[in-house]
Amino acid sequence: MAPTRLTESAAVAVGGALGAVVRYEIWQWRDTPKWLLINTFGINVVGCLLLGSALGYLSGRPAPIPRAGVMGLACGFTTFSFYALQGITHDGAWNSVVYIVVTPVVAVAALAAGALVTRPVQRTR
């Protein structure tokens, strides 16, 4: 791995770790199901705003290390920000719409399938 690439990867790792810790701490503020949803919604919105703002600001600037760090931070904070970025930067409007609509539907179905498959069998008496 080239030294520049290694530095960028390290920036992503540090940013991702920091973002994940911040997300975890926010979730701990109010540890109830209602607040978990509210906090997660806020995290997703703020993460998208952070990623969009930073990438807009860094656009056209030779700043691979800060760009990598912000990408790691936003995507460690919430993977939704990267999903949103992919949705708006995909080639072709129709492909973007399909990606944005289909991804959450399939992801929620996959989560439900995984939970059903791994859930312990309950024995009836």
Side-chain angles (χ1 to χ4, degrees):
M1 185 179 289
T4 302
R5 184 77 175 175
L6 183 61
T7 306
E8 289 175 25
S9 294
V12 169
V14 169
L18 180 61
V21 168
V22 171
R23 178 181 62 216
Y24 177 78
E25 288 300 322
I26 289 171
W27 282 343
Q28 298 307 306
W29 286 345
R30 298 248 175 115
D31 194 13
T32 66
K34 173 188 165 188
W35 279 101
L36 181 62
L37 288 176
I38 292 169
N39 289 342
T40 300
F41 176 80
I43 287 166
N44 286 333
V45 172
V46 169
C48 288
L49 180 64
L50 169 70
L51 183 60
S53 299
L55 293 180
Y57 177 77
L58 295 171
S59 179
R61 291 184 166 93
I65 306 305
R67 187 175 291 109
V70 167
M71 185 72 75
L73 177 67
C75 294
F77 188 53
T78 171
T79 58
F80 188 85
S81 59
F82 193 70
Y83 155 76
L85 176 67
Q86 291 295 304
I88 65 165
T89 59
H90 195 292
D91 289 338
W94 180 244
N95 289 339
S96 291
V97 169
V98 170
Y99 176 77
I100 287 172
V101 171
V102 171
T103 296
V105 172
V106 173
V108 169
L111 183 135
L116 287 172
V117 169
T118 59
R119 192 157 88 198
V121 175
Q122 299 221 351
R123 297 184 182 180
T124 57
R125 295 181 191 199

